[in-house]
Amino acid sequence: MGAIVDESQRKSIADMVEEARKMGAEIFQTEAIPKSGCYYPPTLVTNVSSVSRIMQEEVFGPVLCAMPFRTAKEGLLLGNNCRYGLGASVWTENLPLALEAAVSLKAGAVWVNCHNQFDAAAGFGGYRESGYGRDGGKEGLYEYVLPKWQSKPSPKVSADFDLKKFGEVTMGLPTLNNHVEMLSLNGVSAPPVDHTYKMYYGGKQARPDQAHSRPVLNSTGKVIAHVADGNRKDVRNAVEAAFKAAPGWGKRAAYNRSQIVFYMAENLEMRREEFARKLMSMTGCSEAQAVVEVNLSVQRLFYWGAWADKYGGNIQETVLYGVTAKIHEPMGVIGIACPDESPLLGFVSLFAPAVVRANCVVIVPSEKHPLSALDFYQLFDTSDLPGGVVNILTGNRDHLTKYITEHQNVQAVWYFGSAEGSKFVEYTSAENLKRTWVNYGEVRDWSDPSQGQGEEFLYQACQVKNIWLPMGEIFAN
């Protein structure tokens, strides 16, 4: 047992152990340590509460906390009841139990009947507040590279940009639709029935928390529709729905997830003309351009549906005499802010890869052109998508992004907007160690397969867990 790095760390360890003792924990220590130098005795802590600081924070010292449990399920609940998740080990002679426990533990590395096995071929890193980066392995290389088409971003953010004021909005005055096509019934001219666009979370349409809407303008500045104006409470409700749906969706078979996405593509294809007309109305694009965007959206859904069961992981070749299995696990709840360019194709290209990799999403569609995304919740309802997997919020993109990024139950944020918004997302995520993917204000060509699809999206939708399974019962290691 080596020395502690310095006296302040030794004092921190002693304070945490003493605090646990005052809360009723039993402390077992040896006095056989050097009289001089910065040492702390190897310590066993038992009868400790799961909410004790010594159980919830990293000690960084020779301290082991032991807790009894009656069932494996209870043991997993205790093991995951922590903000950190760098490594874990499972000790049992029951192989099925070991594998199920290893998959269920929220840690970046799980060792079965061993501990602290490392190799440069297998990326090492954590979950949650242990950090999301990986050191080693192919996944570690991704931290240093960009897609071939992309140059190194150089975001241009104004010097007077105030992070504290990011996302502040002032509600506009009420407006009326001034671009409607009159209907004729029995010789009488009348306007059509107003379509009230609502938000969508928990598998149902929902009115916004505040009784306020925002206008959607066409290319000539005419008001063609109104959508709900979301706020902090709407974000909270949507994240709660996504967080509740995540465990069940994560346990769905990849084949089942692919079939649901294929079903979405079929339903979108049947409504091609309707979605094309909506794109023309919102953006002012030509009919040919609108049809191309809808067709590409259908194609992209089929593309991502096909990837649902083809990115689960692989076997790492390490120095361990045994098996090192790399598993691609879902991030959990992902917050997504969509771009204004290609409003339908951008929306599909972002939610689909997250969903096929078993994530649940809270997604903000294009701020300027949200109607195509809102029509999509009818496709979700008719494609067997469970409630809470995709949750759509409308409103000011940066205002909603602010509260999505600050929410503790969102594990990752994808932001495709301004350079200022990208800076805010990266800066704020450092507080709760969210994984981020931002565009730094640069525009993508979503119709280009190299930019609108590919392994980059899958990488961002997954986190890597390495499970180490040693052998040696038959042959000597």
Side-chain angles (χ1 to χ4, degrees), residues 19 33 142 155 204 236 264 317 344 472:
E19 182 180 322
I33 61 172
Y142 279 127
K204 59 184 179 181
R236 185 197 69 184
M264 293 180 197
E317 294 186 86
L344 175 60

Side-chain angles (χ1 to χ4, degrees), residues 243-258:
F243 189 76
K244 183 179 180 181
W249 183 242
K251 291 184 178 179
R252 290 270 186 133
Y255 174 79
N256 179 257
R257 295 195 301 269
S258 71

Side-chain angles (χ1 to χ4, degrees), residues 249 256-266 300-306 308 351-352 355-356 383 385:
W249 183 242
N256 179 257
R257 295 195 301 269
S258 71
Q259 294 305 302
I260 290 174
V261 176
F262 288 152
Y263 202 178
M264 293 180 197
E266 294 169 5
R300 197 141 293 169
L301 284 170
F302 276 113
Y303 172 87
W304 286 122
F351 90 77
V355 165
V356 298
S383 301
L385 184 72

Side-chain angles (χ1 to χ4, degrees), residues 108 117-125 132-145 311 314-319 324-328 455 459 464-466 468:
Q117 298 290 320
F118 301 104
D119 190 275
F124 179 70
Y132 50 80
R134 292 294 181 269
D135 182 17
K138 182 180 178 181
E139 56 271 26
L141 293 176
Y142 279 127
E143 305 289 340
Y144 300 95
V145 299
Y311 201 72
N314 56 30
I315 300 300
Q316 309 271 44
E317 294 186 86
T318 66
V319 296
T324 305
K326 181 178 78 167
I327 296 177
H328 291 148
E455 192 170 356
Y459 169 73
V464 173
K465 172 189 287 183
N466 281 298
W468 299 72

Side-chain angles (χ1 to χ4, degrees), residues 192-392:
V193 176
D194 286 342
H195 184 177
T196 304
Y197 286 94
K198 301 179 179 66
M199 298 186 183
Y200 181 79
Y201 53 78
K204 59 184 179 181
Q205 300 179 46
R207 290 180 172 84
D209 170 61
Q210 59 184 359
H212 194 269
S213 60
R214 58 189 294 114
V216 177
L217 310 180
N218 64 9
S219 58
T220 63
K222 299 285 187 179
V223 178
I224 58 173
H226 287 83
V227 297
D229 204 358
N231 64 8
R232 179 200 295 261
K233 188 174 181 181
D234 297 306
V235 170
R236 185 197 69 184
N237 293 341
V239 173
E240 284 182 357
F243 189 76
K244 183 179 180 181
W249 183 242
K251 291 184 178 179
R252 290 270 186 133
Y255 174 79
N256 179 257
R257 295 195 301 269
S258 71
Q259 294 305 302
I260 290 174
V261 176
F262 288 152
Y263 202 178
M264 293 180 197
E266 294 169 5
N267 287 330
L268 177 59
E269 196 277 336
M270 287 189 292
R271 297 174 59 179
R272 177 191 290 113
E273 291 78 12
E274 176 191 343
F275 274 81
R277 287 195 302 270
K278 188 63 64 68
L279 284 172
M280 293 165 58
S281 174
M282 287 190 301
T283 66
C285 67
S286 66
E287 181 179 0
Q289 291 172 322
V291 170
V292 166
E293 182 167 346
V294 176
N295 288 341
L296 284 173
S297 299
V298 173
Q299 183 185 49
R300 197 141 293 169
L301 284 170
F302 276 113
Y303 172 87
W304 286 122
W307 267 106
D309 56 358
K310 298 175 180 63
Y311 201 72
N314 56 30
I315 300 300
Q316 309 271 44
E317 294 186 86
T318 66
V319 296
L320 177 75
Y321 181 64
V323 174
T324 305
K326 181 178 78 167
I327 296 177
H328 291 148
E329 293 194 335
M331 292 299 302
V333 177
I334 299 179
I336 303 176
C338 295
D340 289 326
E341 307 82 31
S342 303
L344 175 60
L345 183 58
F347 175 77
V348 169
S349 299
L350 288 170
F351 90 77
V355 165
V356 298
R357 291 313 311 158
N359 297 284
C360 294
V361 302
V362 176
I363 187 166
V364 181
S366 165
E367 182 179 339
K368 292 182 180 179
H369 313 300
L371 302 186
S372 295
L374 292 176
D375 285 340
F376 229 93
Y377 55 59
Q378 298 168 357
L379 270 68
F380 294 148
D381 288 342
T382 56
S383 301
D384 298 333
L385 184 72
V389 174
V390 177
N391 307 276
I392 306 174

Side-chain angles (χ1 to χ4, degrees), residues 53 62 132 154 173 246 299 312 398 443:
R53 187 161 72 99
Y132 50 80
S154 54
L173 297 174
Q299 183 185 49
D398 289 345
V443 176

